[in-house]
Amino acid sequence: EVQLVESGGGLVQPGGSLRLSCVASGFTFNKYAMSWVRQAPGKGLEWVSSINGADDSTTTVDSVKGRFTISRDNAKNTLYLQMNSLKPEDTAVYYCAKGAGGQTWNRYDYWGQGTQVTVSS
């Protein structure tokens, strides 16, 4: 059974940092691309960043480029999202997803339960 379990969300002030983690199980983690997707209150899903399984190459949405960094530790079956210089508009539920496809949601076959990130003073 595939499981993706996110953690690390919380309340942070503007300009602060958080690191999200996603522990994966039930599949060969290092063989698959992984992604972070977010959903802000009252809005649709927004792809944030993806990392390739083969060579760890990454892609990131322009709105967070230079502030967010996706990474993975294949020995720990864990995906990370380091978020720096957080802004109120980064407030969202952040989901870990297996696969990569930008905004093409049928390219993702499993999703975590999500972790809430709130950026507010």
Side-chain angles (χ1 to χ4, degrees):
E1 177 189 7
V2 172
Q3 287 194 322
L4 300 172
V5 181
E6 301 100 333
S7 62
L11 173 64
V12 63
Q13 291 188 341
S17 297
L18 283 175
R19 188 176 80 156
L20 306 184
S21 300
C22 170
V23 178
S25 61
F27 63 102
T28 306
F29 182 72
N30 62 5
K31 291 188 180 295
Y32 292 92
M34 297 292 296
S35 301
W36 289 100
V37 176
R38 69 184 179 183
Q39 186 168 26
K43 297 190 176 181
L45 294 172
E46 179 187 28
W47 167 75
V48 175
S49 190
S50 298
I51 184 166
N52 196 312
D55 60 6
D56 285 358
S57 59
T58 64
T59 52
T60 303
V61 69
D62 286 348
S63 61
V64 308
K65 202 169 288 184
R67 300 189 297 120
F68 290 13
T69 303
I70 191 171
S71 63
R72 63 193 299 160
D73 184 336
N74 290 332
K76 295 183 178 180
N77 284 1
T78 301
L79 178 72
Y80 300 103
L81 185 68
Q82 178 66 46
M83 305 187 295
N84 299 328
S85 302
L86 282 159
K87 303 176 181 181
E89 53 263 42
D90 296 319
T91 295
V93 177
Y94 284 73
Y95 297 95
C96 166
K98 177 174 171 285
Q103 299 277 110
T104 305
W105 305 122
N106 63 11
R107 298 287 296 274
Y108 304 90
D109 54 1
Y110 290 94
W111 297 74
Q113 82 287 353
T115 187
Q116 175 71 49
V117 171
T118 302
V119 185
S120 175
S121 55

